[in-house]
Amino acid sequence: MRMRIWKSKIRKIEKQATTNENKHDSKSQDSSDQLTDDLALNLEAIKQEIGHNWDVHFREYVIGRTSIRAAIVFVEGLSDKELIDKHIMTSLMVDFTAEFKQELPYVKGSISKDFIKNQVLSISEIEEVSSIKELALKVLTGSTALLIDGLLDALILGTTKGKTRAIEEPVSEALVRGPRVGFTEALSDNTSLLRANGEIDNLSLVKFQVGTRSKKDLVVAYIKEIVDPELVREVEKRIKKIDIDNVPESGYVEQLIEDNYLSPFPQVQSTERPDRVIAALMEGRVSILLDGTPFALIVPVTFSMMLQSPEDYYERWIPGTFLRLLRYLAAFLALFSPALYIAFISFHPGLIPTKLAISILGTRALVPFPALIEALFMEIAIEVLREAGLRLPKPIGPAMGIVGGLIIGEAAVQAGIVSPILVIVVALTAISSFAIPQYNAGIALRILRFVAMLCAAILGLYGVILFFLLLTSHLVKLKSFGVPYVSPTVPYRLSDWKDFMVRLPLMMMKRRPKMMHTKDPIRKG
């Protein structure tokens, strides 16, 4: 019994010793990462951390007419040299000892950090850091580090030189009537575009950092007096869970925060238009903006939003409603046209009018393949042409797509591989898919089109109906940040139908969508 007690005591002592050793090691590691008051030691440690990079420059000098040594560290190309020369080097190398001696207490050979920050440097952004790794990270993103002999902390000066393109019209969301302004790759430009849309009360822009190895700034935008606080907490929770080395584009964020990654339908809306983001914020939604990409994200979304365009609201309600209904018809044709062709030709020719059936059968008399094979051939050819047109240089891409489609279709008909009626069906399907405003929603329908074609080839019209029921059941269960994807259809909300398939006059749309559970449900008082 005594032996057991002694053994347990020995184990406790060993555990305590190991924990003390681990604590000592962590403390030593932390201390090795900290800046000291010796400039030479600091510079040596920084050179070991980032000095192997050819574009990192170290500049040592003496402050004013004193004997105090200082140094700056910056990256060529990312830091603004003109700003460094005029507002840092010039300010620190002039003779300001007379002003400094007026400070009490004054010690010769030393200088006050507050005096440098408040009376010498004419830089708007100044931050203090005490860690070498934190200093290196700031320098590698464009800031300039100022180290002064005798001071423990380094000063990080905001000298980032942004090279961005001019604000232009969005490429992926063209409008006939509406603002000609689109987001850019600079996060500061994008947030300023949101601010420039008017004096918006309580527009909150909360900043995060994503990426473990390559950190990027991310901003969550919402209107505090409108949005549901639970929605904001859920968005921030999912963003904080992002654990990935690098986030080069907002598409990464979209895939990492969506509800169901197995669904072909996008559950996050991407847009280049600030006016679309502002309209979504006014409805109680949340937007996510990432540095380095012009595409902002909007959550939550519904399928009806994928078929809506900002132009629906800029035009009067009658043409806006007509265009919206036209898009719903285009989405149906883009998804079901080839499947219905296969079902009617292969299984239900009796449902086709007699004269039309005779005409179709006459054109298909010399076609050696079943309807499924000829439809797959034409659809795959169209998809390849579409992809090739996107990847080719702009001057020849559109011409190649149109000419290639005409040549392949005409040659296939003359060779007897496909029937003329199928060329018409495939052309109608392709044109209908172009009418969908959201590009990723169009991709989802194009993928599901092939599944519908296979169902039609196996079971005919019953297969198409079965596919429609399975697709509908999936959409009903799908959610985007807690909001049903097919709302306001399921669950049924009559008040939200004012801006669903039909866009009623603005005077009748005084309430925000009920599905958003906003703090302020009234658009105007």
Side-chain angles (χ1 to χ4, degrees):
M1 185 69 181
R2 290 180 179 177
M3 289 294 293
R4 289 180 181 175
I5 294 172
W6 278 106
K7 286 181 179 179
S8 63
K9 287 183 178 179
I10 290 170
R11 288 174 183 171
K12 288 181 180 178
I13 292 170
E14 289 177 348
K15 286 183 179 179
Q16 189 173 1
T18 54
T19 53
N20 289 334
E21 287 178 1
N22 292 332
K23 288 181 180 178
H24 178 72
D25 292 339
S26 62
K27 285 182 180 179
S28 62
Q29 290 176 359
D30 292 340
S31 62
S32 64
D33 184 53
Q34 297 298 311
L35 293 167
T36 66
D37 57 356
D38 190 330
L39 178 63
L41 291 177
N42 291 337
L43 289 177
E44 184 64 28
I46 296 170
K47 286 178 181 178
Q48 289 181 1
E49 185 75 20
I50 58 175
H52 59 279
N53 298 292
W54 71 269
D55 55 348
V56 177
H57 296 288
F58 295 81
R59 172 71 163 88
E60 298 184 48
Y61 55 94
V62 177
I63 295 179
R65 297 297 177 91
T66 67
S67 60
I68 302 171
R69 295 182 300 115
I72 59 171
V73 187
F74 63 93
V75 175
E76 184 178 351
L78 288 179
S79 301
D80 191 342
K81 282 188 176 181
E82 185 178 356
L83 187 63
I84 293 173
D85 293 341
K86 287 185 177 180
H87 299 275
I88 300 176
M89 298 296 295
T90 304
S91 300
L92 287 171
M93 297 181 77
V94 297
D95 184 10
F96 53 81
T97 52
E99 293 84 356
F100 180 54
K101 286 180 179 179
Q102 294 177 2
E103 284 206 338
L104 294 176
Y106 168 68
V107 179
K108 187 176 181 180
S110 66
I111 198 161
S112 168
K113 186 196 309 178
D114 293 334
F115 178 77
I116 292 292
K117 288 170 58 177
N118 300 328
Q119 299 189 41
V120 177
L121 295 175
S122 55
I123 296 287
S124 59
E125 296 180 20
I126 300 179
E127 181 184 354
E128 296 181 21
V129 297
S130 58
S131 167
I132 294 174
K133 289 186 177 179
E134 190 177 357
L135 180 146
L137 181 63
K138 296 288 186 181
V139 169
L140 293 176
T141 54
S143 299
T144 298
L146 171 63
L147 299 101
I148 300 174
D149 195 22
L151 298 183
L152 280 172
D153 298 333
L155 298 179
I156 301 298
L157 312 176
T159 58
T160 305
K161 178 177 64 175
K163 291 184 178 179
T164 60
R165 61 182 175 89
I167 296 174
E168 300 170 351
E169 184 177 357
V171 177
S172 61
E173 297 172 273
L175 297 181
V176 177
R177 180 177 182 178
R180 308 293 188 205
V181 177
F183 288 128
T184 67
E185 286 76 14
L187 182 61
S188 57
D189 290 347
N190 297 340
T191 54
S192 64
L193 286 174
L194 294 182
R195 296 286 187 190
N197 267 272
E199 296 181 4
I200 305 174
D201 295 336
N202 294 96
L203 175 60
S204 299
L205 301 174
V206 183
K207 186 178 178 181
F208 296 88
Q209 280 195 330
V210 290
T212 55
R213 295 189 181 273
S214 177
K215 296 186 181 296
K216 273 195 173 183
D217 291 333
L218 179 147
V219 167
V220 176
Y222 56 89
I223 299 178
K224 196 171 182 180
E225 289 185 350
I226 298 176
V227 71
D228 182 11
E230 289 295 328
L231 174 60
V232 177
R233 280 193 286 268
E234 181 63 25
V235 172
E236 293 179 350
K237 176 184 173 183
R238 297 191 189 187
I239 289 173
K240 289 176 182 178
K241 284 185 177 180
I242 293 177
D243 186 14
I244 191 171
D245 286 344
N246 182 30
V247 185
E249 214 276 334
S250 59
Y252 279 65
V253 180
E254 177 182 351
Q255 297 172 63
L256 293 171
I257 66 173
E258 63 184 356
D259 290 64
N260 186 357
Y261 63 90
L262 296 175
S263 175
F265 292 96
Q267 297 133 59
V268 178
Q269 187 176 33
S270 59
T271 179
E272 287 185 89
R273 302 194 63 88
D275 55 335
R276 173 167 262 174
V277 172
I278 290 295
L281 298 182
M282 290 296 180
E283 287 186 344
R285 305 182 196 274
V286 175
S287 180
I288 301 169
L289 299 94
L290 179 69
D291 191 22
T293 174
F295 286 91
L297 305 179
I298 297 173
V299 293
V301 298
T302 59
F303 182 72
S304 61
M305 291 176 60
M306 301 296 175
L307 300 178
Q308 295 175 3
S309 171
E311 202 169 1
D312 296 348
Y313 305 93
Y314 302 150
E315 295 288 350
R316 297 178 64 252
W317 72 277
I318 294 177
T321 299
F322 172 74
L323 294 175
R324 188 173 292 184
L325 292 174
L326 205 60
R327 291 190 209 106
Y328 277 94
L329 177 62
F332 178 82
L333 293 176
L335 181 59
F336 289 109
S337 290
L340 292 175
Y341 169 81
I342 294 171
F344 283 125
I345 294 298
S346 302
F347 291 89
H348 313 285
L351 297 177
I352 306 174
T354 306
K355 292 184 179 181
L356 180 60
I358 294 172
S359 175
I360 293 174
L361 293 174
T363 57
R364 293 197 74 255
L366 300 177
V367 176
F369 303 112
L372 175 64
I373 301 301
E374 64 168 341
L376 284 175
F377 171 76
M378 286 301 298
E379 286 294 339
I380 292 174
I382 289 295
E383 292 299 327
V384 172
L385 284 171
R386 188 202 306 256
E387 187 65 18
L390 287 174
R391 306 307 162 200
L392 282 172
K394 287 184 179 180
I396 62 175
M400 194 285 302
I402 297 171
V403 174
L406 292 174
I407 292 174
I408 289 178
E410 183 67 23
V413 171
Q414 290 183 1
I417 298 175
V418 298
S419 61
I421 187 67
L422 178 62
V423 175
I424 296 173
V425 171
V426 171
L428 179 64
T429 305
I431 294 171
S432 299
S433 63
F434 290 142
I436 298 173
Q438 203 71 23
Y439 178 71
N440 50 3
I443 294 177
L445 296 181
R446 283 155 54 188
I447 295 171
L448 292 171
R449 179 194 307 157
F450 290 96
V451 182
M453 290 165 61
L454 293 175
C455 292
I458 296 172
L459 297 173
L461 199 56
Y462 299 104
V464 177
I465 296 172
L466 180 62
F467 168 76
F468 176 75
L469 293 175
L470 292 174
L471 182 63
T472 304
S473 63
H474 168 70
L475 289 173
V476 168
K477 291 189 294 183
L478 191 62
K479 289 187 177 181
S480 173
F481 285 81
V483 174
Y485 198 62
V486 291
S487 183
T489 308
V490 178
Y492 179 75
R493 292 186 178 93
L494 181 62
S495 60
D496 290 349
W497 277 67
K498 296 177 181 178
D499 192 21
F500 181 36
M501 297 182 69
V502 176
R503 204 278 282 177
L504 293 183
L506 295 176
M507 292 74 73
M508 301 178 65
M509 296 168 57
K510 292 186 178 181
R511 289 189 171 271
R512 294 185 174 89
K514 282 187 177 181
M515 70 184 87
M516 298 307 304
H517 306 289
T518 55
K519 290 181 181 178
D520 183 10
I522 308 299
R523 293 181 187 267
K524 62 178 182 178

